[in-house]
Amino acid sequence: MAARRRAEQVEETRGKLIEAARRAFAEKGYNAASMDDLTAAVGLTRGALYHNFGDKKGLLRAVIEQIDAEILDQMHAAGQQFTSKWHAFLAEAITYIEMSLEPEVQRIMLLDGPAVLGDPSQWPNQTACLRTTADMLAILIEEGTVKPVDTEAAAQLINGAALNAALWIAASDEPIAALPRAVDAFRLLMSGLLVNPLSSAH
């Protein structure tokens, strides 16, 4: 029982720190967010932060993982609205691009994240996304919707296009105007994979 209670306390501490950091990073940006203010706001010490996340960068990584999980939920929900596997696949990718307009996603994940943690295509979560994309492409090829293609190579290109569209929108002077341009271009690129683009367009 004591071990379980300790584990619960650790999770509770981690949750408080992630929540406080997410708020601070969204409002002030990563560089301006003070670790002392952040820990004090939830009644914890810097020691708790370092013990749980190693450093400020580790805390940012944990915040991004949480936001990423929420984006995946949104993508899944978007895909669920379609019976066609292709349209579900497309809707999920476009939802990812659309999430670049969310202030938290924009500031923490697409602007500060790459500046602090490096190339987002190398982040651990991208490996799982690539595998999921490649698996779905294999299914779409099997059912005759998508042309025979190297699924690993195509997954790299599709995910890279969606990620770079999101990064471009986030860095744009007019993100709201950039979004439909990015989505239209992405749809056109994706249509090149289809065996019969016209019948799958609707």
Side-chain angles (χ1 to χ4, degrees), residues 1-13 51-52:
M1 286 294 284
R4 192 169 74 184
R5 179 71 194 119
R6 197 157 53 244
E8 285 170 0
Q9 284 173 334
V10 168
E11 272 311 300
E12 191 180 325
T13 299
H51 176 73
N52 282 279

Side-chain angles (χ1 to χ4, degrees), residues 71-84:
I71 292 173
L72 284 173
D73 287 343
Q74 296 267 16
M75 289 168 64
H76 185 65
Q80 291 281 298
Q81 297 173 45
F82 297 90
T83 51
S84 147

Side-chain angles (χ1 to χ4, degrees), residues 96 109-110 113-114 117-130 155-164 167:
Y96 177 86
M109 199 161 173
L110 298 172
L117 302 176
D119 181 4
S121 69
Q122 302 303 310
W123 294 354
N125 64 324
Q126 286 297 312
T127 307
C129 286
L130 284 166
Q156 289 279 357
L157 294 172
I158 292 165
N159 285 23
L163 172 61
N164 279 286
L167 290 167

Side-chain angles (χ1 to χ4, degrees), residues 81-92:
Q81 297 173 45
F82 297 90
T83 51
S84 147
K85 288 186 177 68
W86 169 256
H87 288 107
F89 183 53
L90 194 58
E92 289 185 6

Side-chain angles (χ1 to χ4, degrees), residues 27-202:
E27 289 171 6
K28 300 174 184 176
Y30 175 82
N31 287 329
S34 154
M35 292 298 93
D36 288 328
D37 291 350
L38 189 155
T39 49
V42 287
L44 294 166
T45 63
R46 252 186 190 248
L49 187 154
Y50 293 129
H51 176 73
N52 282 279
F53 300 102
D55 55 12
K56 188 179 180 183
K57 196 183 283 190
L59 185 54
L60 175 64
R61 202 173 283 116
V63 169
I64 285 176
E65 281 173 13
Q66 186 181 76
I67 293 172
D68 193 58
E70 291 167 11
I71 292 173
L72 284 173
D73 287 343
Q74 296 267 16
M75 289 168 64
H76 185 65
Q80 291 281 298
Q81 297 173 45
F82 297 90
T83 51
S84 147
K85 288 186 177 68
W86 169 256
H87 288 107
F89 183 53
L90 194 58
E92 289 185 6
I94 289 171
T95 297
Y96 177 86
I97 297 170
E98 289 171 344
M99 291 298 287
S100 63
L101 289 187
E102 293 288 329
E104 274 191 330
V105 173
Q106 202 173 96
R107 178 137 201 194
I108 299 172
M109 199 161 173
L110 298 172
L111 295 175
D112 285 349
V116 177
L117 302 176
D119 181 4
S121 69
Q122 302 303 310
W123 294 354
N125 64 324
Q126 286 297 312
T127 307
C129 286
L130 284 166
R131 193 164 53 247
T132 302
T133 301
D135 290 347
M136 182 47 71
L137 283 168
I139 291 166
L140 290 164
I141 291 166
E142 181 77 22
E143 72 174 22
T145 302
V146 164
K147 297 167 187 169
V149 65
D150 182 313
T151 55
E152 185 182 355
Q156 289 279 357
L157 294 172
I158 292 165
N159 285 23
L163 172 61
N164 279 286
L167 290 167
W168 176 62
I169 292 163
S172 169
D173 291 335
E174 296 183 13
I176 293 170
L179 175 65
R181 294 168 60 199
V183 169
D184 285 349
F186 184 77
R187 281 183 184 278
L188 187 61
L189 287 171
M190 291 291 279
S191 70
L193 292 166
L194 293 167
V195 171
N196 189 346
L198 292 178
S199 68
S200 300
H202 303 292

